[in-house]
Every structure is written in C-alpha cells, then in structure tokens.
C-alpha cells in the first residue's frame, strides 16, 4: 500500500463523524448504494459466516413509518437512505454456503470443512452465543459501511435510539434476525459538531491491568 493511499484511509477515518442534518430530497445513485453494501459485506466475521442482513429503507413513505419508531429523529426522513443493520441469529445455516464452494475450489479439504461445521453447530446450541456473535459481527459490517460512505462523500449517523420491538413488527423482520442499529446516510446539510476523544493514556492498558 502506498503512503498516499495510507494517508487517504487515515484521513477518512479521522473525518468520519455523526451527522444529523441532511440535504432532504437527495436520491442516492444505485451504484453508490451498491458500493456501500458491497463494502459493508467485506467485513470480517467469525468463521466467515457473515452474520448480517441489511434492510435498505429508501422509500419516503417507509421512512415516514420509521420516524415515530425512531422517536422522531429527523435524520430518518431527511437522509437519502436508512440502512437497518440486522444480526443473524442463525448464521450457522450459512456454513454450507461458505465452506461448500471452498471445498469445491480446492481451498480446503472436506475434513477441514466437516471439522469447522461441527465446531459451529456445537457453539450454536447456546442462544446467548448466537446473539453475541450476531451483534458483534454485524457491528463490524456497520462500521465498514460508514467508512465506505465517508470515502464516497456521504455522511452517516449510527442510531440505537429506536423501539426495536416496534421496528420488527412494522417492517416484518423475521425472527432469525436481531436489530443491531439504524444508519442514516446522505449528504450533510450542516457539518457534524466537533466531538472530543479520550487520550490514548485514558483508553489504553499495556499488557495487563
């Protein structure tokens, strides 16, 4: 990776802040939306099970339906699109989709696949583990999406302030998925306000507490 590319990546990370006021009425080109979702899907995940599902809400009527569920946060209706990031509680069912082609392509032997599938099924006997993995890995995809948005000239705001139960009911979310967060994406109408950060000394511990 060149120094220029490294600097550009670090600049995007530094400049990403949550924006809550957007240029209402802007329609995101399909190519941009697909790039955001493609970048989100490049996130790492445990066993490569890709524990995420993205509910893309770009229809204005559906955004209006979401507005009261998100406690009236205006970025819901003013942003170009709201992406609901969902975690897959049954990501173990993706194992064949992931490992089958790997075996067929000669990347892993059948015995390795069988061992991995056995590990996954053993772990997924425990609902709390499935929930933890769903939220953890879907959150990685969410961060990828927000960084990709900034790189394309958009701003975002991750939102945990919404009624998850009402969201599930209103948008017919299957029981397989748990809502993780909503992300508004659009063109900023006003810049994000400055946000302080704790120092490295405040957030870092060397080796052990």
């Amino acid at each position: 990776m060149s120094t220029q590319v490294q600097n550009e990546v670090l600049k995007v990370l530094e400049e990403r802040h949550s924006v809550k006021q957007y240029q209402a009425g802007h329609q995101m080109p399909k190519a941009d939306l697909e790039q955001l979702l493609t970048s989100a899907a490049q996130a790492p995940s445990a066993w490569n099970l890709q524990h995420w599902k993205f509910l893309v809400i770009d229809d204005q009527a559906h955004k209006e339906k979401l507005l009261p569920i998100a406690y009236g946060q205006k970025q819901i209706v003013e942003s170009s699109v709201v992406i609901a990031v969902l975690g897959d509680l049954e990501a173990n069912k993706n194992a064949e989709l992931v490992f089958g082609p790997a075996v067929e392509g000669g990347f892993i032997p059948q015995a390795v696949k069988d061992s991995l599938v056995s590990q996954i099924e053993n772990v997924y006997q425990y609902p709390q583990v499935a929930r933890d993995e769903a939220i953890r890995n879907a959150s990685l995809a969410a961060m990828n999406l927000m960084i990709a948005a900034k790189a394309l000239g958009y701003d975002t705001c991750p939102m945990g302030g919404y009624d998850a139960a009402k969201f599930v009911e209103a948008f017919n979310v299957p029981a397989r998925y748990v809502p993780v967060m909503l992300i508004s994406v659009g063109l900023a109408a006003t810049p994000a306000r400055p946000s302080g950060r704790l120092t490295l000394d405040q957030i870092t511990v060397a080796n052990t507490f």
Side-chain angles (χ1 to χ4, degrees), residues 37-68:
L37 297 171
T38 298
S39 295
Q42 296 299 318
S45 60
W47 290 293
N48 195 28
L49 291 178
Q50 301 164 59
H51 314 56
W52 43 71
K53 199 79 162 183
F54 306 113
L55 176 55
V56 178
I57 305 170
D58 55 2
D59 175 74
Q60 196 62 28
H62 283 83
K63 289 194 283 184
E64 293 288 350
K65 182 170 72 170
L66 178 57
L67 183 62

Side-chain angles (χ1 to χ4, degrees), residues 137-208:
N137 292 284
S139 295
L140 293 173
M143 193 70 245
N144 259 30
L145 190 150
M146 289 185 281
I147 295 302
K150 190 62 181 177
L152 290 175
Y154 295 98
D155 283 287
T156 57
C157 182
M159 290 175 279
Y162 62 98
D163 189 317
K166 289 183 179 178
F167 174 79
V168 166
E169 180 180 2
F171 289 87
N172 303 307
V173 178
R176 175 172 176 168
Y177 303 105
V178 57
V180 175
M181 70 183 75
L182 306 175
I183 302 177
S184 58
V185 189
L187 300 177
T190 58
R193 62 176 178 80
S195 59
R197 288 292 184 267
L198 300 176
T199 66
L200 291 183
D201 286 344
Q202 292 172 310
I203 63 173
T204 306
V205 176
N207 297 315
T208 184

